[in-house]
Amino acid sequence: MCFSVMKAIAGISCNRKWLVVNMASKVLIKNPKNGRQAWFSLPLYFGKLSVIGLSGSYDEQIEIVDYEGDSFIGYGVFTVADLEQLNRQVEG
């Protein structure tokens, strides 16, 4: 059994083989209307966007400022509906 965890590089070492541990994907989303931003874990429940002053309506604009992990659709201005693509990447 392997118990040696190396968190600094998001992997574990077992019998000289490296197994990659999937890092949780996160995205830094900014509300372009008020400038508020926060990190959100994926998949994203759109109701959580209220933290930055959004209602979660699919027509609202958001700005993706930064990301961590494997899921990514790009930087810039998108609609909340575009975030469905990120959710599909994480769930698929």
Side-chain angles (χ1 to χ4, degrees):
M1 299 254 275
C2 175
F3 297 100
S4 177
V5 177
M6 300 181 68
K7 294 179 183 178
I9 57 174
I12 57 176
S13 175
C14 295
N15 300 324
R16 296 187 182 146
K17 293 181 182 178
W18 286 97
L19 302 174
V20 176
V21 175
N22 272 346
M23 292 176 43
S25 293
K26 297 184 342 181
V27 64
L28 180 59
I29 298 176
K30 180 179 178 179
N31 180 341
K33 289 184 180 177
N34 65 16
R36 291 171 57 192
Q37 63 185 26
W39 283 97
F40 296 93
S41 295
L42 299 173
L44 175 60
Y45 170 66
F46 298 147
K48 292 186 177 199
L49 294 172
S50 64
V51 169
I52 58 172
L54 296 169
S55 69
S57 165
Y58 277 34
D59 296 327
E60 288 181 299
Q61 286 194 333
I62 55 101
E63 182 179 352
I64 296 182
V65 179
D66 201 359
Y67 78 100
E68 293 179 357
D70 297 331
S71 301
F72 186 58
I73 60 172
Y75 295 106
V77 177
F78 297 89
T79 64
V80 172
D82 294 327
L83 293 176
E84 266 308 317
Q85 181 180 342
L86 285 174
N87 281 344
R88 282 193 300 273
Q89 287 180 38
V90 171
E91 293 170 344

